[in-house]
Amino acid sequence: MKYATVTDLMEMLDRSPVNFLATQYVTERLLAAGFTELDSALPYPQLEAGQGYFVRKNGSALFAFRKGRAPLAEAGFRLVTAHSDSPCFRIKPAPEMKGEGGCIRLNTELYGGAILYTWFDRPLSLAGRVILRGEHALRPQTRLLHIKRPLLVIPHLAIHFNRGVNEGNPLSKQNDMLPVLGFLKEELEHNGLLLRIVAEELGVDQQEILDFDLYLYDTTPACLVGWHEEFIQSGRLDDLSMVHAGLTALLQAEGAEATQVLGVFDNEETGSGTKQGAHSPVLRHVLERVALSDGSDREGFYRALEQSFLVSADNAHGLHPNYVSKQDPTNHPLLGGGPVIKYNANQKYATDAESAAVFAEVCREAGVPCQYFVNHSDVAGGSTLGNILTAQLPLRGVDMGNAIWAMHSVRETGAAIDQDYTTRAFTTFYQLP
Ligand code: ZN
């Protein structure tokens, strides 16, 4: 069974190997739909009801909204948030390492909590942004880079050299995970080789390159898996599947009384503590400016917040058929069972009974099932955006996501139908009077 939302998601995943390119993808979709990009350094223009606008931060976070028909103080904001980043490896400065046997490797640093051994023996390449000299030292230029051909591989050690590999295999991030770029020709000076490759790819002079944020990614495209093609498998389902659901819902929702907001944050995987992350006031500033340019005063903005609701969308752990005992005994979110509402007694999630009830009602109105996740009480869970955001904005809100397997593997697996369910739930959420 093929769903249009899933075919579209697969295209997004293939075009979005890293945070910067995911944000670029969302930007292009918004512009094509008639949204206007605002420059945060300039005053916001007069915002028109029913019109769409967005701002970007750092090229890796994005906040889009469609202005509501009713005054903000009366109708508030309807927010869906997700994140653009996923665990991966960042290329270190001066990365070239001459190896034994004439191989050249790149030095890397782990970003976020990846399952390391899923990165072995894959056709990897490079993506991210490259900073070029500008006319002013404070204003360099940025170019995005997405090398599509496989360029690197992290080869695993043969089992004959480690017979115990299947009984547990501790890995050194510094020594075991370095990708091989190729053979080093004798006459070739290996320093600056990466910059030469990047300069060639971008068609710029190597001397113009000041710095880069480049990451490894798996070039294997997203695909459907299963007897009935019931699963979607790809890198970065966490959390681009939720970015896609939020984006699709925002684009297809009709204008409403409330102002509809999509927030895509960066750096969730490392604790959100950057200017483009959920710990910063970046979203609060956007909402405040929307309210002020709407003619509200601070009082009006605070009233708008009281009328608002947040859906913090990040993937959840589906019941894994090989590891049933890892899950809570009575709450088993299933792949294909619809959006998952996440609870945590110690409030690692923003959800409480009232906000969970609201979201369950939204699902009911959308005609989609929903389910619940709580940790097995002896297993510590992860955290996400909701509770971090509410430190900046005291919003009613729920943490939810689609159930997936192998979270933070280089290839994660989800259910195709869940993408459809969640997109429908978000669309209903945006449009509810
Ligand atoms: Zn996530």
Side-chain angles (χ1 to χ4, degrees):
M1 173 89 189
K2 281 214 168 71
Y3 300 94
T5 45
V6 175
T7 310
D8 200 54
L9 168 63
M10 285 164 58
E11 193 199 325
M12 177 187 180
L13 290 161
D14 293 344
R15 285 175 53 186
S16 307
V18 295
N19 51 356
F20 297 106
L21 285 135
T23 305
Q24 179 64 23
Y25 174 87
V26 176
T27 298
E28 287 170 16
R29 291 290 304 272
L30 290 169
L31 289 173
F35 279 61
T36 305
E37 180 161 19
L38 303 178
D39 183 343
S40 297
L42 298 174
Y44 279 16
Q46 184 70 40
L47 303 173
E48 286 176 45
Q51 285 297 308
Y53 305 87
F54 68 100
V55 296
R56 280 187 277 179
K57 184 75 173 173
N58 189 52
S60 59
L62 183 150
F63 306 94
F65 58 93
R66 184 183 288 114
K67 182 76 172 39
R69 285 191 298 267
L72 265 171
E74 287 163 28
F77 301 99
R78 295 271 166 82
L79 302 105
V80 174
T81 60
H83 64 91
S84 64
D85 61 321
S86 302
C88 58
F89 291 88
R90 185 183 194 280
I91 309 297
K92 287 181 175 175
E96 296 88 356
M97 295 172 80
K98 214 166 148 181
E100 292 292 327
C103 280
I104 187 154
R105 296 171 298 164
L106 295 184
N107 193 6
T108 61
E109 186 172 8
L110 183 66
Y111 174 85
I115 305 176
L116 294 180
Y117 63 83
T118 62
W119 283 78
F120 285 115
D121 308 321
R122 296 207 163 255
L124 305 176
S125 200
L126 293 170
R129 70 172 173 183
V130 178
I131 310 299
L132 305 177
R133 181 164 289 115
E135 285 178 6
H136 187 289
L138 282 174
R139 288 187 291 278
Q141 296 174 39
T142 299
R143 289 277 299 273
L144 296 180
L145 182 74
H146 181 183
I147 300 182
K148 294 186 177 137
R149 69 189 168 105
L151 205 59
L152 298 129
V153 60
I154 307 173
H156 199 282
L157 182 66
I159 195 167
H160 312 83
F161 296 122
N162 181 4
R163 295 282 182 188
V165 65
N166 293 327
E167 278 74 59
N169 184 27
L171 293 169
S172 156
K173 297 188 237 351
Q174 186 60 68
N175 299 319
D176 298 326
M177 303 308 299
L178 297 181
V180 177
L181 179 60
F183 295 129
L184 183 63
K185 298 208 178 87
E186 266 177 64
E187 70 279 14
L188 207 65
E189 172 60 61
H190 73 279
N191 285 332
L193 176 59
L194 178 71
L195 287 189
R196 276 214 296 284
I197 293 170
V198 169
E200 220 165 84
E201 199 71 29
L202 293 179
V204 300
D205 188 339
Q206 196 181 323
Q207 309 304 319
E208 296 300 302
I209 300 175
L210 300 178
D211 217 323
F212 52 78
D213 287 314
L214 292 178
Y215 301 88
L216 299 183
Y217 81 96
D218 179 9
T219 59
T220 316
C223 66
L224 296 176
V225 176
W227 186 16
H228 304 293
E229 298 190 320
E230 51 267 76
F231 303 116
I232 173 174
Q233 196 207 49
S234 171
R236 309 172 299 283
L237 282 180
D238 173 12
D239 193 26
L240 297 186
S241 62
M242 294 296 95
V243 173
H244 185 272
L247 172 67
T248 308
L250 183 66
L251 293 182
Q252 70 191 18
E254 316 222 316
E257 301 287 295
T259 293
Q260 303 152 338
V261 183
L262 171 67
V264 181
F265 291 96
D266 192 9
N267 304 126
E268 191 278 338
E269 299 296 354
T270 54
S272 298
T274 59
K275 64 191 180 302
Q276 61 275 6
H279 243 312
S280 86
V282 59
L283 175 61
R284 194 184 73 217
H285 289 175
V286 173
L287 300 185
E288 214 167 336
R289 293 177 73 174
V290 172
L292 295 176
S293 65
D294 183 50
S296 294
D297 53 10
R298 193 159 295 272
E299 170 74 4
F301 174 59
Y302 294 149
R303 285 173 58 206
L305 293 186
E306 294 304 314
Q307 300 290 346
S308 300
F309 195 89
L310 164 72
V311 176
S312 159
D314 199 354
N315 284 291
H317 303 297
L319 183 73
H320 192 309
N322 297 347
Y323 302 94
V324 172
S325 64
K326 294 287 181 191
Q327 288 261 4
D328 179 70
T330 62
N331 292 278
H332 301 149
L334 302 177
L335 270 67
V340 179
I341 297 170
K342 305 183 205 172
Y343 267 116
N344 177 258
N346 297 304
Q347 294 301 135
K348 284 210 166 160
Y349 300 128
T351 314
D352 55 30
E354 200 258 0
S355 62
V358 168
F359 190 72
E361 280 294 281
V362 168
C363 289
R364 193 180 58 76
E365 296 219 10
V368 308
C370 73
Q371 41 188 350
Y372 296 88
F373 173 86
V374 282
N375 283 317
H376 182 292
S377 298
D378 298 328
V379 178
S383 72
T384 177
L385 296 166
N387 65 328
I388 290 173
L389 256 185
T390 49
Q392 288 290 338
L393 289 158
L395 298 168
R396 295 160 79 205
V398 63
D399 269 300
M400 57 71 65
N402 281 355
I404 60 168
W405 292 326
M407 190 180 286
H408 294 189
S409 166
V410 78
R411 303 279 293 175
E412 297 163 330
T413 301
I417 195 171
D418 285 333
Q419 193 65 24
D420 217 54
Y421 284 149
T422 296
T423 308
R424 281 160 55 194
F426 288 174
T427 308
T428 299
F429 168 66
Y430 275 140
Q431 289 184 161
L432 274 181

